Structure formats: C-alpha cells, structure tokens
Amino acid sequence: VPGTLYTWGWNLQNELGEPEAFVGEACDDALGVGAECRAVATAVTAPDFSWIATNGGGATSCGIDSITHRVQCWGDNAAGQCGIDAAMYQHLDLRASRPVLVEATGAPLSAVADAALWVGEYASCAALTDRTLWCWGANARGQLARAVDAVPHMAVRVVLP
C-alpha cells in the first residue's frame, strides 16, 4: 500500500514501532543468541500518517509524513531522541513503542523536506523546506550544536554560518 511503512528485524527498544505484534518471536544474532525480532514485514501504525521517508539509527527510528511533513519517532528514547522528555519519565520505560510527534518550541516539527531526516544513535536532525536544520536528543558531545543546557527532547534550531 503506498505510504505504508513496513518494519522487520530486531526490536530490542521497540524500534520497529509495533511491540505487541510479535512478542516471543526470536531471531539469532551474530553471536547465536536469540533476541526479540520480527521475521515478517508488518505495517507500523500511525493514524493519518502516510510515510514518504524514514531513517533509523541505533535503536531509534523516525519518519516523515507525506501530507504534513511532520516527523514522528519511536524506539529508544533514553537521550530524548524520540522527542519525549526522558527526564520527566525516568521511572518509566524509556522507549516509545509507537510513533510520536517530535516538537519544536511547543509545536510539532513540520515542513520537513522530503527525505531530509538523519537519525543517529543518540540524536536526530531534520532539514526543513525553509533551509533550516533542527536537531533533538543527546547533547553531551555537542550533537545539537548548542550549549550543554539545551532541552534535549525538543528540537532546537542549529545555527549555521
């Protein structure tokens, strides 16, 4: 189906976006140890979202909607790389099992250019159609091009020279 995102493989941090669909399945990793995974491609549920681009890094995945050009992320969120405030939820599981909208200054990050999304292990970035760059997630090593006190879960604009 056009605009539908399918995922498969390991799901250690819910990076496939559908955790309940395959609990108990196992795949062998490079060391021969079983791990939760999905051997069959399954659609990711994101109501009113038609995917045009996706990217994954580490145990986090993100995608861009073809209509609104908004970004949604899911999977590992220990450093805020899904756009969820990890500090507020330290007592909970730091994973987003379903896609969640990434916010910038209190509103969903939108007008993301087609296929202009980078997802790393601890931080993610998106280029907007107005030629600005926005990043969110870890900033311990300057990944957000900001002072260390930047709010990691909310997308911040990267000031380019």
Side-chain angles (χ1 to χ4, degrees), residues 78-101:
Q81 62 268 50
C82 286
I84 301 170
D85 186 353
M88 288 181 62
Y89 301 101
Q90 285 182 350
H91 63 286
L92 301 174
D93 187 358
L94 295 177
R95 299 180 288 182
S97 59
R98 302 253 188 247
V100 293
L101 283 170

Side-chain angles (χ1 to χ4, degrees), residues 8-16 19 22-40 95:
W8 59 91
W10 275 26
N11 196 48
L12 234 40
Q13 298 291 333
N14 293 332
E15 59 266 41
L16 300 183
F22 59 99
V23 172
E25 291 183 30
C27 289
D28 291 332
D29 64 16
L31 301 174
V33 179
E36 281 190 6
C37 75
R38 180 184 303 138
V40 177
R95 299 180 288 182

Side-chain angles (χ1 to χ4, degrees), residues 62 71 73 79-84 102-103 109 117-119 122-126 134-138 144 151-156:
C62 296
V71 175
C73 295
Q81 62 268 50
C82 286
I84 301 170
V102 173
E103 291 191 357
L109 184 65
L117 182 62
W118 172 82
V119 180
Y122 299 108
S124 303
C125 297
W134 294 74
C135 297
W136 59 96
L144 305 182
V151 181
H153 67 278
M154 189 171 292
V156 293

Side-chain angles (χ1 to χ4, degrees), residues 122-133:
Y122 299 108
S124 303
C125 297
L128 278 53
T129 54
D130 66 2
R131 303 179 59 112
T132 59
L133 180 64

Side-chain angles (χ1 to χ4, degrees), residues 1 3-7 42-45 51 54 62-63 74:
V1 176
T4 302
L5 174 63
Y6 293 90
T7 59
T42 305
V44 173
T45 303
W51 306 97
T54 60
C62 296
W74 60 95

